[in-house]
Amino acid sequence: MGGTVVVIGAGMGGLASAAQLAARGYDVTVVEKEAEVGGKARRVMVDGHPVDAGPTVFTMRDVFDGIFQSCGTRLEDHVRLRRAEVIARHAWDERETLDLFADPVRSEEAVGDFAGTDAAKGYREFRHATRRMYDILNEPMMRGDNVSTPLPLLWRIGLWRFDAFAAIRPHQNMWKALGGFFPDPRLRQLFGRYATYCGSSPFAAPATLMLIAHVEATGVWLIDGGIHALAQALRKVSEAKGVRFRMQETVAEVLVERGHGAKGVRLATGERIAADAVICNADPGAIASGKFGGQASRAVRPLAPEKRSLSAMVWFAHAETSGFDLSHHNVFFSPNYSREFDQIASGQTPTEPSVYVCAQDRGGHRIGAESISNGRRERIQIIVNAPANGDTHSYPSEETEQCTVQMKATLERCSLRLEDPMPHSLASPADWEKLFPATGGALYGRASHGSAASFLRQGPRTRIPGLYCAGGATHPSAGVPMAALSGLLAAKKVDADLALTRRSHRVAIPGGISTRSARTGATG
């Protein structure tokens, strides 16, 4: 074991890789341009209160249990978390509402009460189908290496199991597949929304993404302090294993030596940090665009703007709410879902958007001593999907004000009223572009559109030996656990490649010259 590694960026992928490598005896330095760890899992202050400003849904807890165990501790020793009884509350208007529960039997009963016995049967069949998808893909695809074609995946699940390949439905459109389970368009809309978890449209994504519904049904957890608290806990256990964090420092260049690959980084201050390997926890587009130097730009392929995932208009607020009984996670649907995604595809914000509301003080989830009572403000995050054009469109104030009006109209149609005016801040795709350059504000990397999308995501290895990628824009996908899995996979590749290099240096050939490993620039 051993070696030196620099991790660029302290998002979930970077934190996971740093913790894993440090637990295996590596000397790890994390360089982060912001003042706090977490990447997208950040906080903003609104009206004197910290509001979670990044991802809000925490699933696949076992991924993080494993990371903390590898560091000799337990997740529950560092954060307080509990399983949510209500996965999410959904509304179409003031009368049509539906809760999904942690208990699948309760969910099935709720679906039946909402849309009839045939809908309950469809939900039961959907649940079994998505569970099978998950069981087939969990180890070989989600937790395994990325593949560039379906053939290696078929090999992993067994070439003879074409029934398994058919079960994951890569060539079937998600929206059409949902119609086979749910003739009721409201339920198709509800379960189609899971495509947006990886920044995609249910009208263009493969039916494989339906498995996200199973991931959520297996457990949604609420963390005191939100996902940012999880990031802070990862920093704490990483530091306990010897990881050094260089906060508010910017990497200007990945140092590439001809014939040897990445050998460290140069900071904006001019300081150089030597390393045996570099993990970049940034969108691969930032590498391709030259944000980390001209030599490193050849490490990955650039992503065409039309291939980008969704961005978002996001309001961070501390405000009074009334009229609708909020749960922790809430979704308010537009009356015309296809038009909503057509408008986004054409570069517009939707005129009648679906709206996600995270009521951060509901469900016992709070940062301080705040509680919800009549006349008390609460911390909320509100998300509306938007096009990833923040590098070409500035989103002037008159446009963001109109988006606010449209967002509130959806909520009011479902009887949720927000304090007006409400203390808040707003992030547009242009703001996300500033935080995460070379993305246009895309929050999930490449959109998962078409049957080949899952095979086209950037893997941990790049074309430059010694330079690796991690984060939600890389394999396996976007989201908190997926980003962490990408970091673990990057750490695994670093460990394997450096071990191979060490072994090759110990193999002497006639003349006393040591052989060197011939690492390729493969993206696997």
Side-chain angles (χ1 to χ4, degrees):
M1 303 299 173
T4 59
V5 180
V6 170
V7 178
I8 305 172
M12 283 296 167
L15 290 168
S17 61
Q20 191 75 4
L21 287 168
R24 293 184 65 83
Y26 285 84
D27 184 328
V28 183
T29 300
V30 178
V31 183
E32 169 55 53
K33 64 183 178 66
E34 302 295 332
E36 297 285 343
V37 299
K40 294 184 178 73
R42 61 196 190 99
R43 285 180 184 158
V44 297
M45 295 299 295
V46 179
D47 194 32
H49 295 262
V51 179
D52 256 26
T56 60
V57 180
F58 182 51
T59 58
M60 297 177 70
R61 172 183 167 172
D62 65 291
V63 173
F64 292 89
D65 284 331
I67 295 171
F68 281 80
Q69 287 169 9
S70 72
C71 293
T73 185
R74 301 184 307 165
L75 173 63
E76 57 267 34
D77 291 336
H78 298 271
V79 294
R80 181 171 176 264
L81 69 171
R82 59 219 161 274
R83 190 168 180 170
E85 292 185 12
V86 177
I87 292 176
R89 181 158 293 160
H90 309 85
W92 289 262
D93 59 32
E94 61 184 6
R95 298 175 305 278
E96 297 176 310
T97 62
L98 173 62
D99 287 357
L100 292 183
F101 299 93
D103 180 351
V105 175
R106 288 186 68 189
S107 290
E108 185 177 323
E109 292 172 349
V111 169
D113 292 340
F114 179 75
T117 55
D118 286 346
K121 179 183 177 184
Y123 174 72
R124 186 164 59 250
E125 293 172 351
F126 175 76
R127 207 159 44 83
H128 293 320
T130 55
R131 177 174 183 171
R132 188 169 186 221
M133 284 182 175
Y134 178 84
D135 289 343
I136 292 169
L137 291 175
N138 179 34
E139 291 296 335
M141 187 74 175
M142 295 166 62
R143 300 175 194 249
D145 293 355
N146 66 306
V147 293
S148 58
T149 68
L151 188 58
L153 179 60
L154 277 173
W155 180 266
R156 290 176 193 169
I157 65 178
L159 283 173
W160 63 92
R161 294 185 60 196
F162 284 104
D163 63 317
F165 193 67
I168 65 177
R169 304 184 185 215
H171 300 296
Q172 191 172 8
N173 176 272
M174 184 179 189
W175 187 258
K176 291 180 179 178
L178 286 168
F181 297 101
F182 306 112
D184 189 313
R186 298 169 301 175
L187 295 177
R188 204 187 305 190
Q189 194 175 21
L190 188 160
F191 292 104
R193 191 183 74 88
Y194 285 109
T196 67
Y197 279 40
C198 55
S200 305
S201 163
F203 300 95
T208 311
L209 293 189
M210 295 191 306
L211 68 80
I212 299 172
H214 174 74
V215 171
E216 196 164 86
T218 58
V220 173
W221 300 82
L222 305 181
I223 302 175
D224 277 2
I227 304 298
H228 183 72
L230 177 64
Q232 290 178 315
L234 282 169
R235 176 180 181 174
K236 181 178 178 181
V237 298
S238 297
E239 288 179 323
K241 301 302 288 186
V243 177
R244 292 179 296 279
F245 284 81
R246 302 282 298 268
M247 306 304 294
Q248 294 182 288
E249 298 269 15
T250 301
V251 172
E253 181 185 9
V254 174
L255 301 174
V256 179
E257 293 182 8
R258 188 177 183 86
H260 297 283
K263 287 297 177 182
V265 300
R266 177 176 61 82
L267 305 183
T269 59
E271 179 184 353
R272 292 176 175 241
I273 304 176
D276 299 309
V278 176
I279 298 175
C280 187
N281 179 203
D283 193 290
I287 301 175
S289 66
K291 299 295 183 184
F292 298 104
Q295 287 184 299
S297 65
R298 62 183 175 84
V300 299
R301 296 182 180 91
L303 182 67
E306 63 270 18
K307 301 294 185 182
R308 291 170 177 168
S309 69
L310 297 171
S311 186
M313 303 289 295
V314 187
W315 293 260
F316 315 109
H318 185 238
E320 294 179 24
T321 66
S322 61
F324 184 92
D325 184 19
L326 289 167
S327 184
H328 190 84
H329 300 293
N330 310 269
V331 185
F332 303 87
F333 285 108
S334 69
N336 191 328
Y337 214 36
S338 61
R339 181 177 63 190
E340 180 177 346
F341 285 95
D342 286 344
Q343 289 178 327
I344 293 171
S346 69
Q348 305 173 57
T349 52
T351 53
E352 290 186 291
S354 295
V355 181
Y356 165 78
V357 176
C358 179
Q360 296 177 16
D361 295 310
R362 305 278 178 147
H365 171 81
R366 54 180 71 110
I367 288 178
E370 298 92 347
S371 63
I372 301 302
S373 60
N374 291 333
R376 289 289 300 268
R377 286 174 170 164
E378 59 183 305
R379 296 171 301 116
I380 52 179
Q381 182 184 153
I382 305 168
I383 301 177
V384 167
N385 292 320
N389 58 2
D391 51 348
T392 58
H393 185 60
S394 63
Y395 287 84
S397 59
E398 58 269 20
E399 184 173 354
T400 59
E401 288 168 9
Q402 181 60 28
C403 289
T404 302
V405 170
Q406 293 163 343
M407 173 270 291
K408 287 186 174 181
T410 294
L411 299 183
E412 289 169 4
R413 176 167 47 79
C414 299
S415 79
L416 176 61
R417 292 177 292 278
L418 304 176
E419 177 182 357
D420 189 18
M422 66 177 181
H424 75 281
S425 63
L426 169 63
S428 72
D431 297 308
W432 297 120
E433 161 67 20
K434 291 175 185 175
L435 282 169
F436 310 109
T439 64
L443 296 173
Y444 314 87
R446 172 188 285 270
S448 296
H449 292 162
S451 60
S454 296
F455 306 111
L456 298 174
R457 292 183 78 85
Q458 173 63 43
R461 288 193 180 104
T462 72
R463 294 170 175 171
I464 296 178
L467 177 58
Y468 304 81
C469 285
T474 63
H475 175 79
S477 189
V480 175
M482 296 293 106
L485 285 172
S486 80
L488 297 180
L489 186 56
K492 177 182 175 182
K493 297 302 183 185
V494 168
D495 192 35
D497 292 347
L498 292 185
L500 180 62
T501 300
R502 286 191 293 271
R503 285 197 300 270
S504 67
H505 277 292
R506 288 196 296 267
V507 178
I509 62 174
I513 302 173
S514 295
T515 61
R516 292 180 180 272
S517 63
R519 285 181 291 168
T520 69
T523 59

